[in-house]
Amino acid sequence: MNRLLKKVDWINLLIPVVSVVLGLLCGAIIMLIIGYNPLLAYQSIVESIFLQPYYGGETIRAMIPLVLAGLAVAFAFRTGLFNIGVEGQLMAGWLASVACAIIFGHLPKVVLLPLSILAGGAAGALWGYIPGLLKAKFKVHEVISTIMMNYIALYSTAYIIKNFLYTEGERTPTIPHAASLASPFLANLTQGSRLHWGFIVAIIAVLAMWFILWKTPKGYELRAVGFSPDASKYAGMNVSRNIILSLTISGVFAGLGGAMEGLGTYQYMTINSAFTGIGFNGIAVALLGLNTPVGVLLSGALFAGLQTGGLTMQSVAGVPVELIQIIIALIIFFVGSGYVIKWALGRLSRKGHK
Amino acid sequence: MSYAIEMRHIRKEFPGIVANDNITLQVEEGEIHALFGENGAGKSTLMNILFGLYQPDQGELYVHGKKAVINDPNDATRLGIGMVHQHFMLIDKFTVAENIILGREPKKHGLLDMAKAVKIVKELSEKYGLDVDPYQKVEDITVGMQQRVEILKTLYRGSDILIFDEPTAVLTPIEIKELIVIMKRLVSEGKSIILITHKLKEIFEACDRCTVIRRGKNIDTMSISETNPSDLASMMVGRKIHVQVNDAPYDPKEKVLEIEHLNVLDSRKVNVIKDLHLSVHGGEILGIAGVDGNGQTELIEAIAGLRKVKEGTIKLNGQDITNQKTRKIVEAGLGYIPEDRQKHGLVLDFTIGENMVLQTYYKKPYAESGVLKNKVITKKAEQLIQEFDIRTPSEKTLARSLSGGNQQKVIVAREVDRSPQLLIAAQPTRGLDIGAIEFIHGKLLDEKKKGKAVLLVSFELDEILHLSDRIAVIYEGNIIDIVNPKETDENELGLLMAGRKKGGAES
């Protein structure tokens, strides 16, 4: 019995790995059909990320918001909720951090930087709190309300920038140095990439998710409510309050992701006419990472690597960068068909035994 | 002599377990044959082999004396074997007739011939005394009727050997009686029946012969007329069964639970508890007897703070807990074994250890300064697993993968261990096998001996009569009488449960 359980776990872990391999394989087949050299393409990705400091730095840089968005989705999912509103929470966090940095620009760095990061987290929290409240009080399904909150975020950030924080180039002014996460040291180290100190925030967030969910009584409660609201209610837990809390914490992760872009990568926020896509990619990151903190970190690294490496793939192997999006989509498709993979692996291992 | 079904020396292994080890089953034509064993003894595996869902590793099958190879359920159906599943395989939105003909629809010019379908269903239901309305949707009919639809499905497919997989688990006592009548009727019409069960009562009421299996092995096959319940029970469990009786002296202490003028509305805003008075003392087991739907569920939920009290007061240990939050009531000394153990009693995707602290996880010693003490929780769980004989590979096992009896033991362990002043046990042994029932009864009696108050709600009159010090009969939301179990019997209780007070007067 024990052996059997172990085997099942092992298969579950294998699903994302197999999905990635299958995704890359299918991508290679598509490249072959169109007439590109897949080996050269993949080689260029790997070489650029691991051998060229600039691309390595850019990969980690791209990882930061992806991991935070992935954590936001995974956290909500662990508590039985589907947060599609990471995109909006991220934009709210982005604008709030940039606005805070500009408004309180006279403050010293030790105060202003943490304050601006917190402002981002708080705005994301608010953007998660509202759908949480709607669900707890009026039973509005969180998928609907978080999607709607995305649009509210998209257009209200544009409105606020246009009317209160506008500068030339359809964007906010650049944040003061005292609020910036950017680092000449890291940039030098990586031959001028935009890598910034935000990666520390992302790592802390990974640890925080693990700690909250598995090491605190509150996290225990959140998971219990996620698995079984009925049993939790019978055990004396307040289900509504946990729903609100879960989406709020999820929003904090997303908001921090936005703050990392505002204070780190870009140092400002542009008027977006469309979604950034980071929030939606977060869903994929969480899915591939099996909604575990470490899994999110790894799958965030993979997605960031593919996106950054895709640029060299284009210049070296001539493969259009859009193919990367196809490969990512294929990987997600295979993760989504995890049941089929599980079945196939089960059959293979049974044959191996006989 | 040829048997309707003969399974010879069947062996089936799963990774790590031998589910069936050299089992032989011989079912005579026209009999009701019980396949009797504890949960996990291998009954279902054996029947799944007969129905073609599994292939045996060794052994042979004979149907009506002819050797048969059954590769899938279609083969079984062709051979006239039909299965009435425990969990019904019906489409809620379809009518009774549509469900019955599904997969073998009568056709006229290539189109569905509904009139003919209805006619066939009516004929079958008359012939075998299976009362159903072909036009009603399955979602609108009672569980008992849904089961009759399942039986009709197998008959429609021409089955003459019917397998009933624990058919009474979902039925009320009256429906069980009806089912037994139906089974006898089927046999008198020439069918043969295999009844999978772990309930002694049914075997003695319904069956002709019985095969006992234990841990995958054949123990014995015998005529029911040649055995008795206690022998059969020991045979199933493999040791002498001590029927737990309430033999500790009845020495009631102070009132632990005190309910006055209680009025509660159900989800349709109908007054289901009407001016109810009840008190439970320390050191006693108060049994609540009643037909399902007379307010038992609502009463318990009101006590546990899960349902709003409209009027009246509930006191626990002298403390007013009316309309308090559940957690407050739990902290005031309530233990609760809920009726639906999987939905309300456990977080199925939590480990056993996590389930053990479902109400106490935030308190010392399980949490300190905002951090869970996982080691303490593990230790506690391991201690309770030992103490309550919970059969599991480890405390890290998910509650979902435990058997029903072991799941219930986890709940009982958790609730009893908190040492509550009042323990509510709602249908604590429903669906469990004799070994587990005996164990749980023992634990309830222990609570009484410790001087705690136990409120037992059960539809099983035997259980109520066996364990209670006092029996309160609930009828239409009111306690219509409180009787002494030593001075009453099933008949008197049955009348009271139907609303007749002593002396025959309508209440």
Side-chain angles (χ1 to χ4, degrees), chain A residues 68-69 71-77 79 81-83 85-86 89 124-125 128 244-256:
Chain A
L68 285 163
L71 290 176
V73 177
F75 190 92
F77 191 84
T79 64
L81 297 165
F82 210 18
N83 184 3
V86 174
Q89 291 147 15
I244 299 174
L245 182 67
S246 164
L247 279 175
T248 306
I249 296 176
S250 171
V252 172
F253 285 119
L256 287 175

Side-chain angles (χ1 to χ4, degrees), chain A residues 215 220-221 223 230-231 234, chain B residues 301 343 354 361 372 374:
Chain A
K215 290 287 153 187
Y220 172 97
E221 196 172 312
R223 285 187 298 127
D230 285 315
Y234 272 63
Chain B
E301 287 179 348
K343 192 171 171 204
E354 286 172 318
Y361 62 92
L372 280 180
N374 285 324

Side-chain angles (χ1 to χ4, degrees), chain B residues 7 27 46 111 116 186 366 469:
Chain B
M7 301 177 82
V27 181
L46 189 67
L111 296 172
K116 193 175 171 201
L186 286 167
Y366 307 117
D469 293 299

Side-chain angles (χ1 to χ4, degrees), chain A residues 244-307:
Chain A
I244 299 174
L245 182 67
S246 164
L247 279 175
T248 306
I249 296 176
S250 171
V252 172
F253 285 119
L256 287 175
M260 295 306 104
E261 294 295 78
L263 305 175
T265 310
Y266 295 98
Q267 315 269 319
Y268 56 79
M269 184 174 184
T270 47
I271 294 175
N272 285 305
S273 56
F275 291 122
T276 67
I278 300 169
F280 297 123
N281 281 332
I283 299 172
V285 168
L287 193 64
L288 184 65
L290 297 176
N291 295 303
T292 59
V294 176
V296 165
L297 191 69
L298 293 176
S299 67
L302 178 80
F303 281 32
L306 284 174
Q307 279 171 356

